[in-house]
Amino acid sequence: MIIKNKTASFFALLIILFIGYIIYWGTTKPVSVVIQAGHEGRTTGNTGAASKLFHEEKWNIYVANAVAKQLRGWEIDVKRVPAHVRFTRAKIAVSIHFDGATNPCASGASIGYPSKDSHAFAQRWKKLYAGYFPFKWQEDNFTANLKEYYAYKWIRANKFLVLELGEITCEEQTTWLKPRLKKIAHLIAYAIATELGENIRKPNF
Ligand SMILES: [Zn+2]
């Protein structure tokens, strides 16, 4: 009887370990693309830039959803994540943000990335978006938030870009940005798909 119980316990343990392994594998399985909406779901801490009219988080969510939808439409697997991230592996990770400035219109678009592995992709994005976005650019990694973005540790991606798509505290920029958010999302999706080697036609706006 004792032996039988021991055998049963052993198999029960084996099954628990197996289920645990499947859950672990499911949550850490590499995906092609991770898209993050910056500040999404944060109620304290860094809740994002805001002006009287607009809040960065809302725009981030809108753009991130549109990018994810477009990529899925091209049959690319996407994991859409909020500000709170768990350990994830991906080929490409892109975090969507809009900048804020104490002096309105002192900022513009910029890019953050963790290492030189992402540098070439960052320059390709800059070239693409600079052909469309008519305002100023900041240097790459010009703030600590871009250079040492907290999610670099959690999302292990071959290439990781944090995109500041413009300045939400600059009226001139928001007037231009607001009606173009969907097009900008399309441009981001195109840049990601191309980086993955997909043959997608370049959107012309
Ligand atoms: Zn932000």
Side-chain angles (χ1 to χ4, degrees):
M1 200 56 199
I2 290 164
I3 290 165
K4 207 178 168 187
N5 276 345
K6 271 189 179 168
T7 312
S9 305
F10 175 73
F11 278 107
L13 187 68
L14 213 61
I15 288 165
I16 289 164
L17 284 174
F18 184 65
I19 290 168
Y21 175 75
I22 287 173
I23 291 168
Y24 172 78
W25 179 247
T27 52
T28 62
K29 190 164 68 92
V31 290
S32 293
V33 184
V34 169
I35 300 291
Q36 182 191 45
H39 316 279
E40 182 182 9
R42 278 211 204 288
T43 50
T44 55
N46 190 353
T47 53
S51 68
K52 273 182 195 153
L53 291 172
F54 307 115
H55 198 296
E56 182 200 344
E57 184 193 358
K58 273 191 182 171
W59 285 27
N60 294 344
I61 292 168
Y62 180 86
V63 173
N65 285 345
V67 173
K69 193 179 168 195
Q70 181 64 73
L71 287 170
R72 285 175 185 139
W74 293 330
E75 285 169 12
I76 294 168
D77 62 311
V78 180
K79 192 169 178 179
R80 214 346 231 112
V81 299
H84 179 79
V85 285
R86 293 167 197 274
F87 181 72
T88 309
R89 283 175 291 158
K91 288 178 186 157
I92 291 177
V94 172
S95 182
I96 306 295
H97 288 260
F98 290 85
D99 203 6
T102 322
N103 289 333
C105 306
S107 194
S110 58
I111 314 169
Y113 41 90
S115 73
K116 63 179 193 308
D117 297 340
S118 306
H119 182 264
F121 181 30
Q123 302 324 303
R124 280 190 279 274
W125 165 250
K126 197 175 203 170
K127 198 177 168 209
L128 194 65
Y129 193 42
Y132 187 50
F133 179 75
F135 304 97
K136 68 188 280 186
W137 282 78
Q138 302 280 21
E139 291 288 311
D140 295 356
N141 282 335
F142 85 108
T143 63
N145 276 338
L146 291 174
K147 202 178 169 199
E148 286 138 33
Y149 193 62
Y150 73 99
Y152 294 153
K153 288 197 288 284
W154 293 96
I155 303 167
R156 295 289 163 152
N158 301 344
K159 296 166 192 176
F160 196 141
L161 299 186
V162 179
L163 302 181
E164 300 277 7
L165 297 167
E167 190 200 307
I168 207 155
T169 43
C170 176
E171 200 187 325
E172 204 189 347
Q173 292 187 36
T174 53
T175 305
W176 183 88
L177 286 162
K178 197 169 180 269
R180 291 175 176 83
L181 293 178
K182 209 165 219 166
K183 285 182 176 176
I184 293 166
H186 192 150
L187 209 59
I188 297 167
Y190 164 77
I192 294 169
T194 307
E195 200 66 25
L196 287 170
E198 298 285 332
N199 192 12
I200 306 283
R201 199 165 54 85
K202 188 183 170 184
N204 46 45
F205 304 133

